[in-house]
Amino acid sequence: MADRREYEVFEVFVRKKKTDAHVHVGSLNAPSPDIALTTARENFLRRENAVNLWVVPRGEIHETPCDEGDWFARELDRKYREVSGYSENGRLWKTYRERALYLEEIVQDLHPPSQGNRPRPRRERT
Amino acid sequence: MNQDARHAQFMERIERGEKIEATDWMPDEYRKLLLKLIHMHGVSEIMGAFPEKEWVPKAPTLKRKLAIMAKVQDEMGHGQLLLRVAEDLAAPLGKGREELLDDLLAGRVKFHNVFHMESPTWADAGVIGWLVDGAAIINQAALLDTSYAPYARVLKRICAEESFHMQHGENIILTLARGTKGQRQMLQEAVDRWWESLLFFFGPVEVTPAAQRMIDYRIRIKTNEELRQQFLNKYVPRIRSLGLTIPDPHLRYDEKQKKWLYTQPDWEKFGEIVRYNRGPKSEERIGLRRFAHEEQRWVREAMVRAHKMQAV
Ligand SMILES: [Fe+2]
Ligand SMILES: [Fe+2]
């Protein structure tokens, strides 16, 4: 390693909008973090917009084992954590002449598209 | 676990449709087949930028110049992404990007026949975008479901950009087709020049032992001939609809066999072109690549050294 002539590998993460998390898009070779950032823009953002970029030396990333599906195994039925686990609510509400309330409806009411309250991704660049 | 058991377990994963990652155990044969394929794909992207790069300074309008420049840049980008994937496969064999590019300059890795050929007119630039990219897109789209995950991920990004290349190429040739008599003539001549190369591009009709192994490992799913037939399906009607002729009197769709019959390209001639870099433009373009690779080595090394000194 002392006499490394080659570039280092950097993993690249892109944040497209301020309200999004960084997303891994691939990797590249670069001699330094500065040049890795420039190369990342050239390699991954020739068309797409973004507000922020991360480059991380590959050696600094810690990952779960790739070919051990067991690590993510779920021995129990996890329906109780999910919306789909409560589908009976709709039926139960019927007795009271009401219907189940969903998050989407609340979001929609608070951000009606006509009032322009929706996030405007193109403006967020600044 | 012994090698045979490991291999059997690997094949079970492949048959279950699982995707393999760079850090997973894999048979040497799998690694080498993948490396050969992706190495060739990567250097073909880079060499594929050359025939069109020649048209950047000569493009007929500013808009055309910007568009073809963007396309050339995309192809170089594809080369970067693919070589990155190849490097991770080559690392256990002690090879990095320098060596992978040295292989190109020393003729140890082949690149696609089409990129050894001349592009003397603006219509050639159009036909490359339309038909050469068209052929390459069929090849790449067929690989999207490859068993090697890092390759599949990069192909997804590449195919998204190729959809721009398709429209770009079609727009150039549609403009020429609606142009003057001289422009239509130029377009016809370009189609005549490229036809045989395009048929060769998909590779031999017979499934070679190496190709069969790639199918066994689900590195690729379709045969060369299936892809060539797909190309003919999509493009013969379009070429003809423009009033252009295809330089093959025997080309026809056989209803009974449900496939296109065509005159075989000169397998030997093109085989030599790709094996020994003996095409009309091979030497000149490899020369340019060598110039970039070798003359700028000191810059690359200086940047590595500068960063190391900063880090101390
Ligand atoms: Fe490409
Ligand atoms: Fe392309």
Side-chain angles (χ1 to χ4, degrees), chain B residues 159-172:
Chain B
C159 283
E161 292 179 354
E162 292 296 345
S163 69
F164 152 70
H165 298 179
M166 272 176 100
Q167 302 312 314
H168 169 253
E170 287 189 9
N171 194 254
I172 295 176

Side-chain angles (χ1 to χ4, degrees), chain A residues 7 27 29 46-47 58, chain B residues 74 84 87-88 161 164:
Chain A
Y7 288 4
S27 61
N29 286 1
R46 286 195 298 277
R47 293 184 177 77
R58 176 179 271 184
Chain B
D74 281 347
R84 189 72 277 299
E87 286 156 29
D88 287 343
E161 292 179 354
F164 152 70

Side-chain angles (χ1 to χ4, degrees), chain B residues 45 52 71 74-75 78 133 136-137 140 161-162 165:
Chain B
E45 295 281 353
E52 282 176 299
K71 201 209 150 187
D74 281 347
E75 303 300 8
H78 297 172
D133 276 65
I137 288 165
Q140 296 176 115
E161 292 179 354
E162 292 296 345
H165 298 179

Side-chain angles (χ1 to χ4, degrees), chain B residues 248-306:
Chain B
D248 178 359
H250 303 296
L251 177 72
R252 68 183 177 87
Y253 188 76
D254 188 282
E255 287 292 347
K256 255 195 245 138
Q257 300 180 61
K258 294 257 173 270
K259 66 174 197 178
W260 290 91
L261 305 178
Y262 53 87
T263 307
Q264 293 295 313
D266 188 338
W267 293 104
E268 209 168 309
K269 178 184 84 184
F270 284 107
E272 275 193 17
I273 286 178
V274 291
R275 225 171 305 123
Y276 307 112
N277 290 327
R278 261 187 220 150
K281 285 284 187 176
S282 320
E283 227 171 278
E284 182 188 321
R285 290 180 188 146
I286 292 173
L288 278 168
R289 187 57 236 157
R290 177 175 293 116
F291 181 81
H293 187 59
E294 284 171 4
E295 297 295 311
Q296 286 160 25
R297 176 170 284 126
W298 71 270
V299 180
R300 295 194 295 276
E301 291 180 0
M303 287 197 292
V304 171
R305 231 175 300 133

